[in-house]
Amino acid sequence: MLSNLGRYFLLDLLSLFSTSFLSSTILPGGSEALLLYLTQTSTYSLIALWVIASVGNTLGGLTNWLLGRYLYRFKEHRLFPISSTQLNKATHFFHKYGTASLLFSWLPIIGDALCILAGVSRVRLFIFFVLVLFGKSARYAILLLGVEYL
């Protein structure tokens, strides 16, 4: 059985994971504030916080990849959120800059679109996962290093 302190620790880490995950999907949000808060108010190692935030954020990006991959078949449906012209322009943009653009999947709004377009473009899962994990982990690492040295 977890002690009360253990429950709070588990809740903190679950909150960080969930916030990181949700902020990387098409839902609005930002995980940086909670990450910075936990670095100042908890006894967690920066490595543990970095791993949890990075994995949660990457899995949120994977959710967007899945949306792009499987919802694309409904592109002709009248309720599809963007027109075929907009989709063609976005896909052309993604192909122009290539899969390496997924290193910027951590950017607000643009990153969500990149992950969705990677799904639409059928970028291989392994390549997608490695590039997105690297980009998102690097962003959190820079943020945490900034906190550590300020």
Side-chain angles (χ1 to χ4, degrees):
M1 194 97 204
L2 287 173
S3 67
N4 282 340
L5 187 58
R7 284 189 195 116
Y8 288 122
F9 284 153
L10 186 60
L11 186 59
D12 284 347
L13 298 178
L14 185 60
S15 296
L16 178 61
F17 178 86
S18 300
T19 303
S20 298
F21 178 87
L22 291 173
S23 70
S24 185
T25 63
I26 57 175
L27 299 173
S31 56
E32 296 82 6
L34 180 58
L35 179 64
L36 294 176
Y37 173 78
L38 290 175
T39 63
Q40 300 303 309
T41 61
S42 68
T43 58
Y44 305 117
S45 76
L46 292 181
I47 303 268
L49 294 173
W50 173 70
V51 167
I52 290 169
S54 297
V55 169
N57 212 246
T58 301
L59 292 176
L62 178 61
T63 302
N64 287 338
W65 179 85
L66 289 168
L67 283 172
R69 178 109 187 205
Y70 295 106
L71 292 182
Y72 179 71
R73 69 180 78 174
F74 299 108
K75 70 178 181 172
E76 300 302 326
H77 193 276
R78 64 181 179 83
L79 295 177
F80 197 73
I82 62 173
S83 70
S84 353
T85 305
Q86 292 171 318
L87 183 60
N88 289 337
K89 283 181 184 178
T91 305
H92 175 72
F93 170 86
F94 183 78
H95 288 290
K96 179 179 178 182
Y97 293 101
T99 55
S101 63
L102 289 169
L103 292 170
F104 297 99
S105 63
W106 57 270
L107 289 168
I109 301 170
I110 295 168
D112 297 342
L114 286 172
C115 292
I116 291 170
L117 288 171
V120 167
S121 300
R122 302 208 176 273
V123 171
R124 287 191 355 208
L125 178 60
F126 179 76
I127 292 170
F128 172 84
F129 194 80
V130 168
L131 290 172
V132 171
L133 179 65
F134 183 80
K136 291 177 181 280
S137 297
R139 184 256 322 247
Y140 283 123
I142 290 168
L143 183 66
L144 289 171
L145 286 172
V147 166
E148 186 68 16
Y149 289 108
L150 287 178

